[in-house]
Amino acid sequence: MEENQKVEKLEDQVSKLKKKVKEAKELKPTRGIETMFRTTSKNHMELLTVVCLTTIVFAVLATRPNDTKGRFTHEDILNKETNLLFFGNFHKMKFDDYQWGMKEMLQDADYLYGSMIKDIYFLGAVLGKKYRLLRVSYTIFMFGFVLALLGFIIAELFFKSPYPY
């Protein structure tokens, strides 16, 4: 009798172990599920990264100043080839040279008014370009953020893991 009890006890223990193994297998996510979550997470991160990078590039392009030589020559003034009202044409000059150029320009009404007209026009043109780039930057950010958020919501709703984290 004792032998039968030992066998029954062993069989009971084996049965309990098999049950635990089966439960553990059911709770453990399969490799495919883990891969799917890893891939989805990676795709979301890449989408956010691409959107942010593109937004930053356009924002930098919009706010980056143009490089100007910052100097003019006496010939440029005498030939009316430079606009002394735009700082980019004189910011590296000595004051005496700039003052001389301004006095020359003030003696010629056509040169003075032409410089004023050019200055206003090109300020508007530069601002138009910068605003266009900023608009593109904001649009990319806005739509990219919405797409990333929608992707996250869809992944949460349709691909939510039945397993606790």
Side-chain angles (χ1 to χ4, degrees):
M1 249 322 199
E2 215 173 278
E3 183 105 7
N4 270 346
Q5 286 177 340
K6 286 183 181 178
V7 169
E8 283 179 16
K9 195 173 184 182
L10 280 175
E11 286 176 350
D12 188 40
Q13 286 177 344
V14 167
S15 175
K16 286 180 182 177
L17 281 174
K18 282 183 179 179
K19 187 176 179 183
K20 284 184 178 182
V21 167
K22 184 179 178 185
E23 287 174 359
K25 282 184 180 179
E26 288 175 0
L27 288 176
K28 185 178 178 188
T30 64
R31 258 189 143 164
I33 293 172
E34 290 174 354
T35 302
M36 187 271 304
F37 278 108
R38 196 171 24 257
T39 302
T40 302
S41 177
K42 181 178 165 266
N43 289 342
H44 283 136
M45 291 304 293
E46 286 177 358
L47 176 64
L48 283 163
T49 302
V50 167
V51 167
C52 290
L53 179 64
T54 306
T55 301
I56 289 168
V57 166
F58 275 92
V60 167
L61 286 173
T63 57
R64 189 178 69 166
N66 292 330
D67 190 25
T68 57
K69 61 183 178 176
R71 297 185 187 283
F72 60 85
T73 64
H74 283 238
E75 293 80 31
D76 290 337
I77 299 297
L78 296 175
N79 294 329
K80 304 175 189 175
E81 294 177 350
T82 192
N83 179 0
L84 295 177
L85 302 179
F86 174 59
F87 78 96
N89 293 334
F90 63 82
H91 67 91
K92 293 182 182 176
M93 301 290 296
K94 291 183 180 177
F95 177 73
D96 292 339
D97 292 331
Y98 176 72
Q99 186 177 24
W100 174 84
M102 285 296 288
K103 286 180 178 178
E104 287 294 316
M105 184 176 70
L106 291 173
Q107 292 177 14
D108 185 340
D110 286 339
Y111 186 23
L112 175 62
Y113 291 124
S115 292
M116 292 170 68
I117 291 168
K118 283 181 189 175
D119 193 51
I120 293 169
Y121 174 80
F122 286 114
L123 279 174
V126 167
L127 285 176
K129 180 182 176 186
K130 290 184 181 288
Y131 277 113
R132 201 168 33 255
L133 289 170
L134 281 173
R135 185 171 179 82
V136 169
S137 175
Y138 290 141
T139 302
I140 290 169
F141 178 75
M142 179 178 59
F143 284 111
F145 190 73
V146 168
L147 286 174
L149 190 61
L150 286 175
F152 177 76
I153 290 169
I154 289 168
E156 281 292 311
L157 290 176
F158 295 106
F159 302 108
K160 189 162 180 92
S161 172
Y163 309 106
Y165 294 105

